[in-house]
Amino acid sequence: MTTSDGVRLHVETTGSSDAPVTVVLVHGWTCSTRSWHHQLSGLPQVLGASAVRVVAYDHRGHGRSEAAPVGTTRISQLADDFEAVLDSVVGDGPVVYAGHSMGGMTLMALADQRPELFGSRIKAAALVSTSSGQIASRAFGLPARFDGAAALVAPRAMNLAGERMERRALRRSAVRGAADGGRGAAEDAAVRGAWRELAGARLRRPAVRELVFGKKVDPAEVDILMADLAVTPGRSYSGFFEAISRHDLGHALEVLGEIPVEIMHGTRDRLLPPRHANRMAQLLPSARLWMYPGAGHMLMQERPRDVTHRLASLARKAALPDHQ
């Protein structure tokens, strides 16, 4: 599908288009629909292919979607993109929103911008390994005394890294691109090469495994994340990191108070430690909080059965007449 500003988004669906409820899966920063592969296949198996439709899409500047234009690497823009998916792909009928990390933040931005959608179209929600704000506080396990420096330095460092990644990738690919068809091929190669540089030189597999995942993760799940990192453009890497660091929408959780909400988090999440889930549960006391011992940030890949069954439970509730 194409957004209002002309960005083409990659969308996948499973289940029946005539199903009584649709579950929309929204991924996190530097990920793609592939991070939800267990739920894309598992939800129709648990609920029945005719009982649920599952929709997943790649954010702009991620996966197989087109790059994010300059100035659009904002969480509020992602909320606009979701609304476009809701209107053009999902259609009418009750919706369960499942947001992982930046995808959960997208839901909060939508609640802040379009509160009337909650209860009318969005009937239930899952907040998976995400946060309502205060991202820089004690980031990566650092003491609180470093909060000020982290908030100031990290976004600037990420912006600089992203710009350098894209410049280097463009320079390296220019000659190859000319041989393969000119400027368009060069730009495509730059997008493919930007995160390869970072993933290969700075975030090698053991570091990604240790930082992002918890205990006893399937190596195939790490492969999925590494593949997504390899194709994330520098602009998305740095721009959305800055947007995440500025995210502070705890007040928007009040909008979700009238619908069923499940908060799911791993106890070994190093990117967004468990205190973020506890804070959301305090701000949204009607939600149910689930903590998964030993799990890291990629909860739907590390605890696929649990996440799938929680989403299935929300889908059953959303399909009931009382929730329509």
Side-chain angles (χ1 to χ4, degrees), residues 201-213:
R202 303 186 183 204
L203 287 180
R204 298 190 184 278
R205 184 187 177 89
V208 172
R209 162 68 177 79
E210 179 66 21
L211 179 64
V212 181
F213 293 91

Side-chain angles (χ1 to χ4, degrees), residues 94-131:
V95 172
V96 175
Y97 183 110
H100 169 246
S101 194
M102 189 172 72
M105 299 173 195
T106 301
L107 179 68
M108 297 174 215
L110 184 72
D112 194 43
Q113 297 168 199
R114 296 292 307 277
E116 69 277 7
L117 293 176
F118 293 81
S120 60
R121 299 190 71 183
I122 300 174
K123 302 291 187 177
L127 299 171
V128 183
S129 306
T130 189
S131 173

Side-chain angles (χ1 to χ4, degrees), residues 230-264:
V231 296
T232 303
R235 183 185 300 153
S236 294
Y237 167 68
S238 58
F240 283 116
F241 177 87
E242 183 172 3
I244 289 170
S245 70
R246 293 180 177 179
H247 171 72
D248 189 9
L249 287 175
H251 63 274
L253 291 174
E254 184 178 354
V255 176
L256 280 63
E258 300 302 317
I259 64 173
V261 176
E262 307 273 359
I263 299 172
M264 292 174 267

Side-chain angles (χ1 to χ4, degrees), residues 53-132:
R53 185 186 188 205
V54 187
V55 174
Y57 67 97
D58 290 338
H59 288 303
R60 61 177 58 210
H62 289 75
R64 283 171 278 186
S65 290
E66 289 184 342
V70 173
T72 68
T73 53
R74 307 184 309 270
I75 305 297
S76 59
Q77 177 64 62
L78 299 184
D80 292 342
D81 290 349
F82 166 75
E83 192 172 354
V85 172
L86 190 65
D87 291 338
S88 65
V89 178
V90 177
D92 298 329
V95 172
V96 175
Y97 183 110
H100 169 246
S101 194
M102 189 172 72
M105 299 173 195
T106 301
L107 179 68
M108 297 174 215
L110 184 72
D112 194 43
Q113 297 168 199
R114 296 292 307 277
E116 69 277 7
L117 293 176
F118 293 81
S120 60
R121 299 190 71 183
I122 300 174
K123 302 291 187 177
L127 299 171
V128 183
S129 306
T130 189
S131 173
S132 59

